[in-house]
Amino acid sequence: MAIIEVKNAKYHYRQGENECIPAVNGVSFSIEEGDFVTLVGKNGSGKSTLAKLLNGLLLPSNNGTINICGYTTQNEDTIYEVRRNAGMVFQNPDNQMVATIVEDDVAFGPENLGVPREEIATRVAWALETVGMSEYRNRSASKMSGGQKQRIAIAGVLAMRPKILILDEATSMLDPKGRKEVIDVAKKLNNEGITIVLITHNMDEVAESKRTIVLKDGALVFDGTPRDLFENKALILDAGLVLPPVAKLNSLLQEGGLALPSGILFADELVEGLCSLLK
Ligand code: ADP
């Protein structure tokens, strides 16, 4: 079943009386439940705007439609179902805390939804456990690392029991350790059935996803596997992307004359390729 269905969605920002800035230009795609999709494109290509269209923070400027778990984002009566089911985590870990104490912060979403008290306590305990932050439940988040803060932000979204988690450059301000913590949580949630949409500039994260969508000037220019994307050098260049480090190294070694196979994305594949050349 398609859990996300986008049909011909357009969005332009209004500036002043007459100026329109096009951000998303007629995009269509659907995502199946349980998928792990990365959304990439250079700065200004429309990724954040598309993410906000997905959870109803913005509505299409045209007659395009967006359906989340069967609910259209254009229906005011069910917009909470859309926001609850498609939870978002943003770039800056410091801008997302609403309470000082971790468990109060995580409880904020379900409290707003009117969830009964005991159920809130169960959800907060489960959400913090899921992101590996249970032992911090009574602490203040202010002195925590970026990775820990982002995991708390994810717990806050999980407490609303979403089916989809949208991470809008949620790892881009983190150090490698924090980045890994957040990606590991996203993978774990995906293994438990949650659909992940990860907006990122990190090509290693793209390589590890099941599917990737590329935007350029608000238009969808690629939708397929990371391996197929990174094989397409012309598209990579045109969309302002780069190869993941291992794929780049493989490409340089090929240019240097080594008969390595194409499509290598991970270190173990490159090691295997090099070993087979030495046999
Ligand atoms: P990305 O996430 O890929 O960097 P965005 O969705 O943020 O792209 O931006 C797409 C386009 O919309 C860009 O041209 C950007 O300058 C413009 N834009 C984004 N947010 C606003 C805004 N609040 N007001 C006006 N223009 C905006």
Side-chain angles (χ1 to χ4, degrees):
M1 182 192 109
I3 197 163
I4 297 176
E5 210 163 65
V6 179
K7 283 193 191 144
N8 187 32
K10 293 189 185 183
Y11 188 84
H12 54 248
Y13 292 95
R14 292 212 160 272
Q15 211 161 53
E17 284 285 285
N18 304 315
E19 204 191 338
C20 279
I21 300 171
V24 172
N25 289 322
V27 164
S28 300
F29 62 90
S30 57
I31 294 178
E32 299 294 310
E33 184 158 20
D35 214 341
F36 193 128
V37 179
T38 40
L39 181 58
V40 295
K42 64 182 180 188
N43 281 337
S45 59
K47 304 179 296 296
S48 274
T49 305
L50 180 56
K52 287 178 190 141
L53 285 169
L54 292 182
N55 97 330
L57 277 177
L58 297 174
L59 298 176
S61 312
N62 65 335
N63 59 3
T65 56
I66 292 165
N67 276 282
I68 300 296
C69 303
Y71 298 102
T72 165
T73 60
Q74 277 112 323
N75 184 347
E76 269 181 40
D77 295 338
T78 52
I79 193 68
Y80 271 107
E81 285 303 320
V82 169
R83 301 233 171 100
R84 187 183 71 72
N85 273 301
M88 266 184 94
V89 176
F90 297 93
Q91 183 173 31
N92 191 333
D94 291 317
N95 290 349
Q96 295 175 79
M97 310 294 294
V98 286
T100 331
I101 301 299
V102 167
E103 67 178 358
D104 295 344
D105 194 73
V106 176
F108 183 78
E111 268 166 7
N112 269 355
L113 291 177
V115 174
R117 262 193 176 295
E118 303 87 78
E119 167 71 10
I120 292 178
T122 311
R123 288 191 189 193
V124 169
W126 165 77
L128 285 172
E129 172 80 34
T130 303
V131 301
M133 291 295 289
S134 297
E135 62 189 286
Y136 296 89
R137 60 181 302 159
N138 296 314
R139 305 235 198 121
S140 154
S142 60
K143 292 204 178 77
M144 289 180 187
S145 71
Q148 288 174 322
K149 285 180 188 165
Q150 287 300 57
R151 284 191 282 150
I152 293 165
I154 293 174
V157 169
L158 289 182
M160 300 206 268
R161 298 256 190 233
K163 292 208 160 107
I164 304 160
L165 180 63
I166 303 169
L167 299 153
D168 185 358
E169 296 198 27
T171 60
S172 66
M173 291 176 73
L174 306 181
D175 60 16
K177 182 171 174 285
R179 186 184 281 276
K180 184 173 181 318
E181 287 170 13
V182 170
I183 293 298
D184 285 350
V185 166
K187 284 182 189 165
K188 176 177 169 189
L189 291 170
N190 184 243
N191 284 335
E192 289 169 11
I194 292 187
T195 307
I196 306 286
V197 178
L198 173 69
I199 297 178
T200 183
H201 286 287
N202 183 302
M203 294 301 133
D204 278 331
E205 291 172 6
V206 175
E208 288 184 42
S209 66
K210 295 176 185 165
R211 172 180 169 193
T212 184
I213 290 175
V214 182
L215 292 185
K216 186 193 170 198
D217 298 332
L220 189 156
V221 293
F222 177 88
D223 181 355
T225 65
R227 245 181 248 281
D228 286 345
L229 170 66
F230 293 124
E231 287 280 285
N232 192 336
K233 302 266 164 59
L235 175 66
I236 295 287
L237 204 64
D238 188 48
L241 304 175
V242 291
L243 291 175
V246 171
K248 170 112 184 120
L249 180 56
N250 190 53
S251 167
L252 289 172
L253 291 169
Q254 284 177 325
E255 280 166 34
L258 290 186
L260 285 158
S262 293
I264 282 182
L265 293 183
F266 303 107
D268 55 345
E269 295 172 345
L270 183 55
V271 169
E272 200 179 306
L274 287 168
C275 287
S276 64
L277 286 184
L278 295 172
K279 275 181 191 154

